[in-house]
Amino acid sequence: MLNETELKRQIWHSRRGMLELDVLLGPFAANVLPLISAQEQQTYVRLLGQQDPELFTWFMGHGTSGDADLDAMVKLVKDYAKSSQVSA
């Protein structure tokens, strides 16, 4: 499991250069990352190591990473974003 300092670092690294990614990754990192398994946390860290254009492609559903763990993490983040949307 990530320690408190590492969790804060990953929450910070979830801030990306693209608003679309910030909206997905920021809330997930703050609210879900501390609660998921150590293996899932490490997969999330790997996900953050990818370039923004690749992440954007994956999150928008225009392609996959080809890595089952990363693809599952993308789905987890997207599912969280959908479940946490507030209806207007």
Side-chain angles (χ1 to χ4, degrees):
M1 295 293 281
L2 299 174
N3 64 39
E4 185 175 342
T5 301
E6 189 59 28
L7 277 171
K8 287 180 182 178
R9 182 176 292 122
Q10 296 312 317
I11 291 169
W12 177 258
H13 285 277
S14 295
R15 296 172 154 189
R16 307 302 285 211
M18 299 177 77
L19 177 62
E20 296 87 350
L21 295 177
D22 289 348
V23 168
L24 290 169
L25 297 174
F28 179 86
N31 298 309
V32 180
L33 187 59
L35 306 176
I36 59 179
S37 73
Q39 181 178 350
E40 289 172 315
Q41 288 177 345
Q42 290 306 314
T43 300
Y44 186 79
V45 170
R46 277 197 314 122
L47 183 74
L48 293 182
Q50 307 306 308
Q51 298 294 316
D52 285 358
E54 291 174 328
L55 292 175
F56 183 78
T57 297
W58 302 340
F59 281 110
M60 296 304 118
H62 300 298
T64 63
S65 70
D67 178 307
D69 291 336
L70 289 179
D71 291 342
M73 184 56 59
V74 167
K75 182 179 182 331
L76 188 62
V77 172
K78 288 172 65 173
D79 288 348
Y80 175 75
K82 286 178 189 173
S83 71
S84 64
Q85 287 179 346
V86 178
S87 300

